[in-house]
Amino acid sequence: MISSQILQASIDDIKTIARVDMCICDLNGDEIVSTANMVVPDPNMITSFVDSPADSQMVGNYHLLKVRDEDELEYVLVAMGFGEDTYVIGKLAVAQLEKLTVAYKDRFDRNSFFQNLLLDNFLLVDVYNRAQKLRIEINAPRAVYLIEAEPEKDAAVLELVKNIFSSQAGDYITRVDENNIILIKAVEPRSTNEDLMQVADTILDMVNTELMINVKVAIGTVVQELKDVSKSYKGAKMALDVGKIFYEGKNAVAYSTLGIGRLIYQLPVNLCRMFIDEIFGNGYLDQIDEETLETINKFFENNLNVSETSRQLFVHRNTLVYRIEKLQKNTGLDIRKFDDAMTFKIALMVVSYMKYQEEQDN
């Protein structure tokens, strides 16, 4: 169903050009929209015309014409005036409205199709059949982007995203819940992580520049067939959650870059708790102060390089070594050694995951 705003704009444009007043009525004879000087006819006149087999009829100075959606009657258009010119203008208006009806129906059907595709509500044969009817290419590389904005601002973000990406380029925008905007993006066959991230950066920059708000963008994997779009969607959803746990400072996270965080995210909390208790039975991890935590993270960022870490932290090398040795005394792990560093890094990630799950449960 076309919105009344679109219908109003359509007949107003026609009047501006042709100087003919007209209105659009529903099948009960009630006015939906009309131009400024239009005198809307009696509803009984409309309903009688609806019941007749004729596609057009003239009653007094009214030209009545039927607007169809394929074979089904949708509206009645009434053009006010005498003569053949008014009738021709009315027929042109009907042609435009029928084209709009088809376009809006295609748009709605495509939106519904992609929503059900993302949620795995189709059989494989249904995917191919419906895609052909909707003129959606089946074999084309695509990636799903999830865009999360604040609830009160997501409508503005949705409109902006629609202005950036279009179905003509093979991109489709939809949503399956109230939290996230979904962009199904057509990509190049050999798109790299950098290529995918460039699109995410474009979204972040545009939203920040135009709306002055921050959003988070998660990227799924590239899939080659339409039937696999739901896999990319699931990957993007995981990337969004994992990004909040382990990569809080990043506004754009791709599924392919989640690393070990992806594995930890899929572990049962009880198993994670057992791991932490076995490695750090004394509960030391919960007592680590911010300074020590910053030291550890910076040490990991610099690939266990003591000199570079001390330089970036603006501390003497011996001070850094003292902190590391103090950590070793409390945990039994020397993070200057790769195996111990890896164990400690995983432990920190597991603790972050457990805290996130506790917050979600509460």
Side-chain angles (χ1 to χ4, degrees):
M1 182 70 71
I2 307 174
S3 68
S4 57
Q5 291 89 344
I6 298 295
L7 293 175
Q8 185 70 62
S10 298
I11 62 173
D12 283 343
D13 287 345
I14 293 170
K15 181 184 176 180
T16 300
I17 298 168
R19 302 180 184 279
V20 171
D21 280 296
M22 57 186 65
C23 70
I24 299 172
C25 300
D26 62 22
L27 304 187
N28 295 319
D30 296 324
E31 174 196 348
I32 299 175
V33 293
S34 63
T35 55
N37 299 319
M38 179 69 189
V39 180
V40 179
D42 188 310
N44 293 328
M45 181 190 301
I46 304 296
T47 55
S48 296
F49 173 61
V50 168
D51 294 334
S52 72
D55 283 333
S56 64
Q57 182 178 336
M58 184 168 185
V59 180
N61 67 333
Y62 293 119
H63 289 269
L64 282 63
L65 303 105
K66 292 179 179 178
V67 181
R68 300 181 183 278
D69 177 5
E70 295 183 350
D71 295 328
E72 188 173 343
L73 186 59
E74 192 77 17
Y75 309 108
V76 172
L77 180 130
V78 183
M80 190 171 71
F82 295 100
E84 184 71 16
D85 289 347
T86 302
Y87 171 76
V88 171
I89 292 165
K91 290 291 287 183
L92 289 171
V94 167
Q96 178 177 336
L97 291 172
E98 288 181 343
K99 291 292 189 299
L100 277 173
T101 301
V102 171
Y104 269 74
K105 185 178 178 181
D106 277 356
R107 180 176 175 182
F108 175 79
D109 286 350
R110 283 185 177 185
N111 188 55
S112 176
F113 170 78
F114 277 110
Q115 287 175 341
N116 284 286
L117 180 67
L118 292 168
L119 297 175
D120 281 330
N121 290 338
F122 286 137
L123 296 174
L124 185 58
V125 66
D126 290 333
V127 173
Y128 293 135
N129 290 340
R130 298 194 184 200
Q132 287 178 344
K133 290 180 180 178
L134 295 170
R135 299 181 296 280
I136 298 171
E137 192 171 352
I138 294 171
N139 296 309
R142 298 179 173 92
V144 172
Y145 288 73
L146 281 187
I147 304 162
E148 184 182 74
E150 296 176 20
E152 64 273 12
K153 297 177 180 178
D154 63 344
V157 176
L158 177 61
E159 287 304 313
L160 180 59
V161 173
K162 285 181 177 179
N163 290 334
I164 300 173
F165 305 97
S166 68
S167 58
Q168 284 80 10
D171 305 329
Y172 301 97
I173 296 126
T174 187
R175 58 197 315 168
V176 296
D177 56 47
E178 61 183 9
N179 298 321
N180 303 309
I181 298 162
I182 302 169
L183 166 65
I184 303 169
K185 180 79 179 72
V187 298
E188 294 298 324
R190 297 184 180 180
S191 293
T192 63
N193 289 334
E194 289 75 16
D195 296 330
L196 299 178
M197 195 59 70
Q198 282 182 1
V199 176
D201 289 339
T202 298
I203 296 171
L204 292 171
D205 291 342
M206 291 294 291
V207 171
N208 185 263
T209 301
E210 298 293 329
L211 303 177
M212 291 181 289
I213 60 176
N214 293 317
V215 297
K216 288 190 176 297
V217 179
I219 312 165
T221 54
V222 175
V223 294
Q224 302 300 323
E225 294 186 46
L226 188 63
K227 66 180 179 64
D228 294 325
V229 164
S230 62
K231 294 180 181 178
S232 183
Y233 169 63
K234 291 171 185 175
K237 282 188 68 177
M238 180 181 287
L240 190 63
D241 288 339
V242 174
K244 292 176 183 177
I245 303 170
F246 305 122
Y247 309 102
E248 192 174 353
K250 293 184 178 181
N251 287 328
V253 180
Y255 177 84
S256 58
T257 62
L258 295 179
I260 199 169
R262 186 172 70 194
L263 176 62
I264 294 173
Y265 179 76
Q266 299 178 80
L267 293 176
V269 174
N270 290 339
L271 189 61
C272 294
R273 192 172 289 113
M274 287 175 56
F275 170 75
I276 295 300
D277 290 342
E278 289 172 1
I279 303 294
F280 308 100
N282 58 5
Y284 177 74
L285 279 186
D286 294 329
Q287 305 168 22
I288 296 180
D289 57 74
E290 288 297 324
E291 182 183 63
T292 303
L293 192 60
E294 182 187 5
T295 300
I296 295 167
N297 288 329
K298 187 63 68 175
F299 189 56
F300 289 156
E301 286 176 15
N302 289 296
N303 299 314
L304 314 186
N305 187 311
V306 174
S307 298
E308 182 61 22
T309 303
S310 61
R311 186 185 70 80
Q312 291 187 18
L313 290 175
F314 302 103
V315 298
H316 194 276
R317 177 189 173 91
N318 291 341
T319 302
L320 178 60
V321 171
Y322 169 76
R323 291 179 185 176
I324 293 173
E325 290 177 346
K326 181 180 178 182
L327 186 68
Q328 180 183 2
K329 180 180 179 181
N330 287 311
T331 65
L333 297 174
D334 184 357
I335 61 173
R336 289 169 293 188
K337 298 178 180 178
F338 175 78
D339 286 348
D340 286 357
M342 182 174 65
T343 300
F344 205 97
K345 177 65 175 178
I346 292 173
L348 291 177
M349 295 178 71
V350 168
V351 169
S352 297
Y353 169 65
M354 290 167 60
K355 289 180 179 178
Y356 174 81
Q357 290 294 352
E358 288 175 5
E359 291 174 0
Q360 294 299 108
D361 292 341
N362 295 331

